[in-house]
Amino acid sequence: MVYRYLFILYLILVGISLLGVVLAKVPEPGSKEDPLVTKTYVDWYAKWQELNLKAGDFLKLEMGTEFLLVEPSDHPLHLREVNLDATRIVDVTSGTVLTSRDLSPYHLYLVASVNEARIVIDDSAKIFIRGLKP
């Protein structure tokens, strides 16, 4: 007899739990209440940003930053300064580690070291970059 009451009480509790799940308001997928990713993540890591640089401009690039040189498209861009001894920049297009101060046009580069890469551009250039934090 007692087991019957316990079983009925168990069924009532399970029913109330299921009713609570059904009645819970589920946010619209991708809405402000349920974003797939944060805006900061998209701005830093997923979206390419165009940078127009002048001669002498300074860039500080953290690990994981990717960049693609677009202009000048007819010759390599010479870097006035770069800390290649303290950091590692990989030319993903050719599969080599950058050892000179020249960036080839339309090559994808990746900062692959814990230390930040600090570069100074020697000429005006246009690059696309992602992973650059403000």
Side-chain angles (χ1 to χ4, degrees):
M1 186 79 163
V2 173
Y3 293 113
R4 182 180 291 168
Y5 291 119
L6 288 176
F7 182 70
I8 291 173
L9 180 63
Y10 174 76
L11 288 178
I12 290 172
L13 290 175
V14 169
I16 290 173
S17 298
L18 289 175
L19 184 63
V21 170
V22 170
L23 294 178
K25 183 173 179 352
V26 177
E28 183 73 26
S31 68
K32 180 180 169 186
E33 292 81 23
D34 181 34
L36 298 175
V37 294
T38 63
K39 183 180 180 320
T40 306
Y41 178 85
V42 172
D43 289 344
W44 288 356
Y45 298 110
K47 187 169 69 172
W48 288 94
Q49 300 173 2
E50 179 181 338
L51 290 180
N52 292 309
L53 305 169
K54 299 176 291 205
D57 281 352
F58 173 78
L59 283 176
K60 183 170 73 169
L61 308 173
E62 295 181 1
M63 180 176 73
T65 304
E66 298 173 276
F67 59 98
L68 175 75
L69 177 66
V70 178
E71 289 180 5
S73 61
D74 56 348
H75 63 278
L77 177 67
H78 185 72
L79 301 176
R80 184 180 307 165
E81 293 177 30
V82 61
N83 60 335
L84 290 176
D85 54 339
T87 189
R88 176 171 285 178
I89 299 175
V90 177
D91 183 348
V92 178
T93 305
S94 67
T96 60
V97 175
L98 187 66
T99 55
S100 70
R101 292 184 173 204
D102 294 328
L103 298 178
S104 301
Y106 300 110
H107 279 223
L108 178 64
Y109 295 95
L110 171 70
V111 178
S113 66
V114 177
N115 297 332
E116 61 190 23
R118 296 181 308 275
I119 61 175
V120 178
I121 305 296
D122 198 28
D123 195 5
S124 61
K126 181 194 294 187
I127 63 171
F128 285 100
I129 193 164
R130 73 175 166 188
L132 182 65
K133 297 179 182 176

